[in-house]
Structures are given as C-alpha cells and as structure tokens.
C-alpha cells in the first residue's frame, strides 16, 4: 500500500450465482446433487481506485450498478472473487442503522448493544454515552423501551450511535435521509466535522447534491465498471448527460406507451439583476431575478414549480410556488426556462440559497435540487433579524 | 495475530451477546434461573433410575459416577446441536454489518460454558452430600480440563455453525449425532466396559479422555493420568484449529448465502 493512501482497490471482480432452484439443505444436495444449475452474473467486472487519507469519495450510479456491492466489499461483508482490497485503520460502516436493536430494552441499553456491534469496548461506550444521547435529542425518552419510539426517534438514536464511533475510515450507504430536515442538517454538519478531523469517507448516494457538498472525488460506476472518475462537478455533468440520453432512448422505444409520464431534469440556474447581469452580492431593496433552465424528457405536464429560499445556516426564509400564485404551467418538451423576479429583495445581511422543487399534480416529487443558486446580501446598516421591514419612527 | 487483536476489540460484543443469551433463556419461564440447576438434576434422576434400578451397573454411588460426567457432556452436546445455529440465528446482523464472524460461535460457546460452571455448583453440592470428599490436589486440574473441553467445544461450534449456513438442515442431523456420540463416550458406563479391541478407537474421541479426566478428579478423587490429559489436549487443540481454519474460509461466503 502506498503511503498516504487509506483505501486501495485493485482489479476487483465479483460475481453472484443465480440459482434456478436454490437449495441449501443437505437433503436436496444428496438427492439432486447434479441439479444445482445456476447462472453467474458479474456484478463488478474489474474496478480499481484509490482513496487518500482524509479524502471523501462519492460513489454514484443507477440502481444495480454495483456501488453498494463495492461498499459491502470494503466493509468485508462480501468478499470479491478476484482482486485485492486494502484498507488501513479502523473501519466503521453505516450501512444499516440500528443493527441489533432490541425492542424491549431501553434506549440506553440499546446504545450499549448497538455500539458493541461496532467494536467499541464498554469503557469507550461509557465515555461517549452523553454525546450520543445529546446528539439524538432523546434525553427524556432514553430510559423507555425502544418499541415505544416513533420511527424517526428510532433512526435518530441509531444514527447517533453510528456517527459517534470514531473511525479512520467511514463507509456510508444512503443514510443521510434520516429524520426531519433539521436533524438531517445536523447529521450533515457532523459528517463535515468528521471529515475535517481527517477521517476518510466513502459515501454512496443518489443525491448528487450531498456528494457535491462533501466529496473531493467522485466515481461513477456503470454496469460493473468505472465509467468516470474525477471531481464531483465533472462527473455530475457527464452522469446527467448520460441519464438524459438513456431516458430519451427509452422514451423512443416506448412510443406506443400512452402512460409514459415525462421526466424533468435540472440543467442550470442563474441569478441576475434586471438588466441580465450576473450578480452574487445584493443590497437591501435590490431587484433579484432567478432563472431556471430545465429539460423535459418527453412531454412534461401537470406540475407545479416551487422555489424555496433558505439561509445558509438552514433557516427557511420564504417559499413560493406556481400553485400559491395560481400560475398556470403549460406542458412542454425539451429545453425551457422559468424566471421569477423579486422586485424588492429585503433580506438582511447573510448568505442565502434557493432550493428548487417540482411536484406533479398528485403531490409526488418529480425533481428536487438543493442549492440551485447562492447569493449574499451586504448592507452597511446594523439591523438584526432576517428581513428588512419598512418602518419609520414617529417623534412626539 | 491481527485477527486476535480485532476479536479483542470486539470483546464487548461477545459479552453483550452472552448476557442477552443468558437473560433471555430463562426470562420467560416461571422458574427462571432455577432451570439451570433443575435440568441436569432431572436428567440425573432419569439416568439413575434406568441404570441403577433397571439395568444395574454395580458401581458404587452410580449417581455420582454419572453426574460428574453428565454435566460436562450436556455442555458439549448443547454446543454440538444448538451451536449449529449460532451464525444462522444472527443472519440479519451478518447480512448487514461487519464484525468478526467468530464473535458468534465464541459467544454461544461462552454462554453454554457459563451455564456449565453454574451447574457445577450442583455438582459440588452432590459430591459433598455423597460423602465421597474432594481431593484438593486433583481439583487443581479441574480448570485445565474445563479449558480443554471449552477449546474442543468451540472448535466443534465453529465447524457446525459454518456448515449450517450452507446446509440448513444440519441441525436435526447433529441432534442424532449428539445422541449416538453420547453412547460412544464412557458416560453411563466405565471405559473398562469397552471391549479390548475397540479401546484405541474410543480414545480417538476427545470426549473419552475429557470424561475420564473429569471423573478422575471428581469421583475417584485422584490426579488424572498424564497420558489421558495429553490425549485430550492434543485432540482438543487439533479440532479447535481445524474448526477455526474452516470457519475462516467458509465465513467469506456467509453474506451471499442469506
């Protein structure tokens, strides 16, 4: 292993056997010992990559491409058929939250059991107990049996244990979707802290946004091979292009399928002033124009566009949608842009961003993109709070 | 070496599994922990009735002769048949999370071993009540023979639990094996009763030497024969090592089988 590397994966291949009639009893093996027919399918066909110490790597790809299998091999749940995997240091994996939780035991007892599954000694667990409970925000309920918890509380407890296990290498599979938005942000911030402390992170996620925010490097796995490797931004562009072309191809094949609902992809967003000049810093009272470029694969109809304004610390400031303003959204296909103008931007000093959310008429999310555009507000005055409210003092 | 260090790191998991196992086994029963003592005592009654009233063995204090061998045997046979499911029962954990898989057979064996140690309270009580007395010098060998039996049983649990993942119906088969094995071990009869030409074969069974050693210490009150001890140590360690290696190889495929 090269010095400075935390993970080295060399030409790893793995295949799974798909049995026609899988039997794993002694009886069947004896009676039908010739009839155990199976087909092998190679899930990974030779992938190699390296992760440096302290780096964060994101794995992306469509379902079944082998990204979760890769993670399972890194954590030694699965072993490759050929190739070599080397890891240096203590590995902790957050593939499954709440492993070994016992419903009848209290939250506190379960912390001990669950943390022991991560390889912590009793002393280590005791040292962390307060942190874990504080992070989960379950102080009042910690001595109640876990079966009385809501699923959100359950996940919060599980995540708190997992995130408080100190490791040199942390492997994470799609788990940042825990609890409410505030707790998700908390988990995310904790993850950033962990990264800053020098822990190597490998994360599998469908959310390009999460990967872009946390990772230094991104690998796109496609059909068991590495298709693209580079910075998250580079890989994202290529990945989205590919997904788009694949969808068009699919649409083309299914022309007779009347039920096919179009899909929509976010391309870009820009912030400008009224004359169309790009602008990242605003003053109170300025005009702000947000332009969204979208691409619809197939005919896209029956939708609402929602734009949410969030302060950088996660405080939700303002949300508006085409349905609240009773704007009619016309069906369209291909490229299209939407523009929303805020004629008097009265936010106080700080950093803000827009989230984009597109919902179909059934209320199902068709597209969600976090942080499509970011901007900053500057002002010399020293009011406090979030927005400027027009006011005047009346002197007696 | 690296494996051992990792296993040490996961010691808390072993202990918590042992605690959970011991707690849950008796929690829902009315008599609770009393079963731990009642079970060997009731078995003792049955065997004593059969072998000292019906099929008379003409052995002085037969109940004691039997009991000091029966308790260690129950430990081993539970490991053999029950230990088969040590990995299978935790398949959700195995499928989803990494930990050294050896934790599972190890904690199963430890919890059975703790059970046996508690049963030994009854054994000592019975020995004292019988008036046979205890030889302190011989008693020093008791921990050694217990350790050997533990290693041997652990090796067997390694093998049985790993194979059961691949052959799910192994457990009922092993129960029959355990029953047959009991009668091929000098537990209800002395080893002298074995026909001369089979004696060597009998000593290939690690449980033969182990049973004889227990009986020497607790029934005859004498230091076990060095040859018997050596035989037990060698066979026990060999089975342990074979089991460990087999388990290490087979565990790589566990997650694929679930």
């Amino acid at each position: 292993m090269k010095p400075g590397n935390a993970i080295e994966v060399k030409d790893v291949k793995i295949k799974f056997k798909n049995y026609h009639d899988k039997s794993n009893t002694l009886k069947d093996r004896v009676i039908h010992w010739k009839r155990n027919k199976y087909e092998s399918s190679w899930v990974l066909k030779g992938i190699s990559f390296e992760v440096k110490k302290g780096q964060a790597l994101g794995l992306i790809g469509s379902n079944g491409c082998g990204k979760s299998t890769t993670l399972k091999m890194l954590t030694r749940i699965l072993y490759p058929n050929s190739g070599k995997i080397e890891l240096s240091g203590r590995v902790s994996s957050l593939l499954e939250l709440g492993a070994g939780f016992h419903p009848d035991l209290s939250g506190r007892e379960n912390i001990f059991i669950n943390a022991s599954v991560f390889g912590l000694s009793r002393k280590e667990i005791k040292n962390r107990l307060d942190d874990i409970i504080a992070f989960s925000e379950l102080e009042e309920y910690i001595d109640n049996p876990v079966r009385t918890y809501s699923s959100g509380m359950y996940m919060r407890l599980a995540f708190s244990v997992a995130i408080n296990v100190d490791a040199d290498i942390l492997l994470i599979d799609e788990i940042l979707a825990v609890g409410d938005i505030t707790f998700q942000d908390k988990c995310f911030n904790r993850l950033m802290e962990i990264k800053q402390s020098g822990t190597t992170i490998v994360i599998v996620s469908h959310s390009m946004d999460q990967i872009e925010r946390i990772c230094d490097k991104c690998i796109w796995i496609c059909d068991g091979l590495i298709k693209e490797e580079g910075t998250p931004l580079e890989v994202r562009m290529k990945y989205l292009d590919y997904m788009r072309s694949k969808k068009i191809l699919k649409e083309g094949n299914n022309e007779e399928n009347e039920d096919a609902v179009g899909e929509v992809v976010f391309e870009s967003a820009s912030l400008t002033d009224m004359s169309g000049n790009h602008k990242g810093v605003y003053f109170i009272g300025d005009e702000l124009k947000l332009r969204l470029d979208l691409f619809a694969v197939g005919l896209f109809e029956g939708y609402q566009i929602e734009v949410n304004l969030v302060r950088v610390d996660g405080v939700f400031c303002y949300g508006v949608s085409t349905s609240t303003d009773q704007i009619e959204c016309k069906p369209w296909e291909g490229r299209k842009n939407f523009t929303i103008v805020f004629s008097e931007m009265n936010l106080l000093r700080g950093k803000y961003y827009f989230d984009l959310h597109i919902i179909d008429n059934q209320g199902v999310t068709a597209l969600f993109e976090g942080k499509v555009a970011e901007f900053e507000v500057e002002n010399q005055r020293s009011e406090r709070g979030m927005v400027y409210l027009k006011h005047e003092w009346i002197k007696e | 070496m690296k494996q051992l260090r990792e296993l040490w790191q996961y010691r808390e998991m072993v202990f918590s599994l042992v605690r959970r196992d011991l707690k849950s086994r008796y929690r829902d029963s009315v008599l609770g922990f009393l079963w731990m003592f009642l079970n060997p005592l009731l078995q003792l009654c049955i065997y004593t009735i059969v072998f000292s009233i019906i099929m008379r063995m003409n052995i002085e204090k037969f109940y004691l002769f039997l009991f000091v061998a029966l308790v260690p045997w129950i430990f081993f046979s539970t490991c053999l048949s029950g230990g088969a499911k040590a990995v299978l029962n935790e398949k959700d954990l195995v499928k989803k999370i990494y930990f050294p898989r050896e934790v599972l057979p190890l904690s199963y064996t430890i919890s059975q071993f703790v059970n046996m140690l508690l049963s030994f309270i009854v054994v000592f009580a019975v020995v004292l009540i019988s008036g046979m007395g205890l030889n302190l010098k011989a008693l020093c060998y008791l921990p050694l023979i217990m350790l050997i039996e533990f290693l041997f049983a652990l090796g067997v649990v390694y093998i049985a639990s790993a194979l059961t993942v691949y052959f799910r119906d192994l457990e009922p088969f092993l129960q029959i094996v355990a029953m047959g094995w009991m009668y091929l071990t000098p537990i209800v009869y002395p080893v002298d009763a074995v026909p001369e030409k089979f004696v060597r074969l009998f000593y290939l069974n690690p449980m033969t030497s182990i049973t004889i050693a227990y009986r020497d210490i607790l029934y005859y009150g004498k230091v076990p024969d060095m040859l018997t001890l050596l035989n037990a140590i060698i066979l026990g360690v060999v089975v342990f090592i074979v089991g460990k290696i087999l388990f290490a190889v087979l565990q790589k495929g566990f997650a694929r089988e679930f």
Side-chain angles (χ1 to χ4, degrees), chain A residues 268-286:
Chain A
S268 66
S270 62
L271 284 176
T272 59
D273 60 16
M274 283 317 280
S275 42
N277 300 320
H278 280 272
K279 200 169 169 183
V281 181
Y282 294 82
F283 291 95
I284 287 179
D286 278 1

mmCIF file of all heavy atoms in Angstrom, chain A residues 268-286:
data_model
loop_
_atom_site.group_PDB
_atom_site.id
_atom_site.type_symbol
_atom_site.label_atom_id
_atom_site.label_comp_id
_atom_site.label_asym_id
_atom_site.label_seq_id
_atom_site.Cartn_x
_atom_site.Cartn_y
_atom_site.Cartn_z
ATOM 1 N N SER A 268 -29.545 24.214 -15.182
ATOM 2 C CA SER A 268 -28.760 25.247 -14.512
ATOM 3 C C SER A 268 -29.674 26.327 -13.973
ATOM 4 O O SER A 268 -30.856 26.374 -14.289
ATOM 5 C CB SER A 268 -27.743 25.852 -15.477
ATOM 6 O OG SER A 268 -28.437 26.550 -16.489
ATOM 7 N N ALA A 269 -29.096 27.200 -13.161
ATOM 8 C CA ALA A 269 -29.844 28.330 -12.630
ATOM 9 C C ALA A 269 -28.912 29.525 -12.605
ATOM 10 O O ALA A 269 -27.701 29.370 -12.471
ATOM 11 C CB ALA A 269 -30.333 28.023 -11.214
ATOM 12 N N SER A 270 -29.484 30.696 -12.775
ATOM 13 C CA SER A 270 -28.623 31.874 -12.686
ATOM 14 C C SER A 270 -29.337 33.004 -11.968
ATOM 15 O O SER A 270 -30.557 33.127 -12.023
ATOM 16 C CB SER A 270 -28.191 32.310 -14.087
ATOM 17 O OG SER A 270 -29.331 32.667 -14.831
ATOM 18 N N LEU A 271 -28.560 33.804 -11.293
ATOM 19 C CA LEU A 271 -29.088 34.972 -10.588
ATOM 20 C C LEU A 271 -28.577 36.221 -11.295
ATOM 21 O O LEU A 271 -27.381 36.353 -11.535
ATOM 22 C CB LEU A 271 -28.592 34.959 -9.145
ATOM 23 C CG LEU A 271 -29.260 33.985 -8.190
ATOM 24 C CD1 LEU A 271 -28.573 34.040 -6.845
ATOM 25 C CD2 LEU A 271 -30.728 34.305 -8.043
ATOM 26 N N THR A 272 -29.486 37.117 -11.619
ATOM 27 C CA THR A 272 -29.073 38.333 -12.320
ATOM 28 C C THR A 272 -29.824 39.534 -11.756
ATOM 29 O O THR A 272 -30.769 39.380 -10.997
ATOM 30 C CB THR A 272 -29.401 38.235 -13.821
ATOM 31 O OG1 THR A 272 -30.813 38.038 -13.950
ATOM 32 C CG2 THR A 272 -28.674 37.100 -14.486
ATOM 33 N N ASP A 273 -29.392 40.706 -12.160
ATOM 34 C CA ASP A 273 -30.197 41.890 -11.885
ATOM 35 C C ASP A 273 -31.158 42.073 -13.058
ATOM 36 O O ASP A 273 -31.212 41.246 -13.964
ATOM 37 C CB ASP A 273 -29.320 43.108 -11.628
ATOM 38 C CG ASP A 273 -28.441 43.422 -12.816
ATOM 39 O OD1 ASP A 273 -28.732 42.899 -13.922
ATOM 40 O OD2 ASP A 273 -27.453 44.151 -12.651
ATOM 41 N N MET A 274 -31.904 43.191 -13.073
ATOM 42 C CA MET A 274 -32.945 43.329 -14.084
ATOM 43 C C MET A 274 -32.391 43.377 -15.499
ATOM 44 O O MET A 274 -33.018 42.924 -16.438
ATOM 45 C CB MET A 274 -33.762 44.608 -13.810
ATOM 46 C CG MET A 274 -34.730 44.446 -12.673
ATOM 47 S SD MET A 274 -35.612 42.889 -12.709
ATOM 48 C CE MET A 274 -36.854 43.266 -13.913
ATOM 49 N N SER A 275 -31.167 43.909 -15.629
ATOM 50 C CA SER A 275 -30.636 44.006 -16.989
ATOM 51 C C SER A 275 -29.945 42.718 -17.422
ATOM 52 O O SER A 275 -29.377 42.648 -18.496
ATOM 53 C CB SER A 275 -29.682 45.204 -17.071
ATOM 54 O OG SER A 275 -28.878 45.247 -15.927
ATOM 55 N N GLY A 276 -29.995 41.704 -16.600
ATOM 56 C CA GLY A 276 -29.487 40.405 -17.018
ATOM 57 C C GLY A 276 -28.021 40.166 -16.687
ATOM 58 O O GLY A 276 -27.424 39.212 -17.157
ATOM 59 N N ASN A 277 -27.417 41.055 -15.881
ATOM 60 C CA ASN A 277 -26.021 40.828 -15.492
ATOM 61 C C ASN A 277 -25.959 39.887 -14.292
ATOM 62 O O ASN A 277 -26.725 40.050 -13.343
ATOM 63 C CB ASN A 277 -25.358 42.146 -15.111
ATOM 64 C CG ASN A 277 -25.368 43.116 -16.268
ATOM 65 O OD1 ASN A 277 -25.151 42.733 -17.413
ATOM 66 N ND2 ASN A 277 -25.685 44.375 -15.968
ATOM 67 N N HIS A 278 -25.041 38.951 -14.358
ATOM 68 C CA HIS A 278 -24.900 38.010 -13.246
ATOM 69 C C HIS A 278 -24.533 38.761 -11.993
ATOM 70 O O HIS A 278 -23.728 39.680 -12.014
ATOM 71 C CB HIS A 278 -23.836 36.963 -13.573
ATOM 72 C CG HIS A 278 -24.363 35.900 -14.454
ATOM 73 N ND1 HIS A 278 -24.970 34.778 -13.967
ATOM 74 C CD2 HIS A 278 -24.415 35.801 -15.793
ATOM 75 C CE1 HIS A 278 -25.365 34.031 -14.977
ATOM 76 N NE2 HIS A 278 -25.045 34.627 -16.112
ATOM 77 N N LYS A 279 -25.091 38.322 -10.898
ATOM 78 C CA LYS A 279 -24.871 39.059 -9.671
ATOM 79 C C LYS A 279 -24.897 38.086 -8.493
ATOM 80 O O LYS A 279 -25.783 37.239 -8.409
ATOM 81 C CB LYS A 279 -25.980 40.105 -9.524
ATOM 82 C CG LYS A 279 -25.643 41.234 -8.596
ATOM 83 C CD LYS A 279 -26.668 42.339 -8.716
ATOM 84 C CE LYS A 279 -26.479 43.343 -7.588
ATOM 85 N NZ LYS A 279 -27.480 44.398 -7.598
ATOM 86 N N GLY A 280 -23.910 38.181 -7.638
ATOM 87 C CA GLY A 280 -23.863 37.274 -6.485
ATOM 88 C C GLY A 280 -24.055 37.996 -5.169
ATOM 89 O O GLY A 280 -24.399 37.398 -4.170
ATOM 90 N N VAL A 281 -23.869 39.336 -5.172
ATOM 91 C CA VAL A 281 -23.999 40.101 -3.935
ATOM 92 C C VAL A 281 -25.061 41.178 -4.122
ATOM 93 O O VAL A 281 -25.078 41.883 -5.128
ATOM 94 C CB VAL A 281 -22.652 40.751 -3.560
ATOM 95 C CG1 VAL A 281 -22.790 41.521 -2.255
ATOM 96 C CG2 VAL A 281 -21.572 39.687 -3.440
ATOM 97 N N TYR A 282 -25.971 41.254 -3.179
ATOM 98 C CA TYR A 282 -27.082 42.200 -3.294
ATOM 99 C C TYR A 282 -27.121 43.106 -2.083
ATOM 100 O O TYR A 282 -26.581 42.784 -1.025
ATOM 101 C CB TYR A 282 -28.409 41.437 -3.406
ATOM 102 C CG TYR A 282 -28.525 40.637 -4.685
ATOM 103 C CD1 TYR A 282 -27.939 39.387 -4.797
ATOM 104 C CD2 TYR A 282 -29.218 41.164 -5.779
ATOM 105 C CE1 TYR A 282 -28.018 38.674 -5.966
ATOM 106 C CE2 TYR A 282 -29.313 40.449 -6.961
ATOM 107 C CZ TYR A 282 -28.708 39.197 -7.049
ATOM 108 O OH TYR A 282 -28.798 38.496 -8.218
ATOM 109 N N PHE A 283 -27.816 44.246 -2.296
ATOM 110 C CA PHE A 283 -28.089 45.130 -1.165
ATOM 111 C C PHE A 283 -29.592 45.165 -0.931
ATOM 112 O O PHE A 283 -30.373 44.837 -1.838
ATOM 113 C CB PHE A 283 -27.560 46.535 -1.446
ATOM 114 C CG PHE A 283 -26.069 46.587 -1.458
ATOM 115 C CD1 PHE A 283 -25.361 46.485 -2.653
ATOM 116 C CD2 PHE A 283 -25.362 46.718 -0.268
ATOM 117 C CE1 PHE A 283 -23.975 46.510 -2.656
ATOM 118 C CE2 PHE A 283 -23.983 46.751 -0.281
ATOM 119 C CZ PHE A 283 -23.281 46.642 -1.465
ATOM 120 N N ILE A 284 -29.972 45.521 0.272
ATOM 121 C CA ILE A 284 -31.396 45.582 0.590
ATOM 122 C C ILE A 284 -32.126 46.471 -0.409
ATOM 123 O O ILE A 284 -31.673 47.575 -0.727
ATOM 124 C CB ILE A 284 -31.593 46.113 2.022
ATOM 125 C CG1 ILE A 284 -31.181 45.024 3.006
ATOM 126 C CG2 ILE A 284 -33.042 46.509 2.271
ATOM 127 C CD1 ILE A 284 -31.301 45.433 4.438
ATOM 128 N N GLY A 285 -33.224 45.952 -0.903
ATOM 129 C CA GLY A 285 -34.023 46.721 -1.833
ATOM 130 C C GLY A 285 -33.694 46.463 -3.298
ATOM 131 O O GLY A 285 -34.421 46.894 -4.191
ATOM 132 N N ASP A 286 -32.609 45.724 -3.556
ATOM 133 C CA ASP A 286 -32.250 45.392 -4.935
ATOM 134 C C ASP A 286 -33.300 44.499 -5.580
ATOM 135 O O ASP A 286 -34.075 43.841 -4.892
ATOM 136 C CB ASP A 286 -30.913 44.650 -4.965
ATOM 137 C CG ASP A 286 -29.744 45.600 -4.895
ATOM 138 O OD1 ASP A 286 -29.997 46.811 -4.797
ATOM 139 O OD2 ASP A 286 -28.593 45.119 -4.918
#
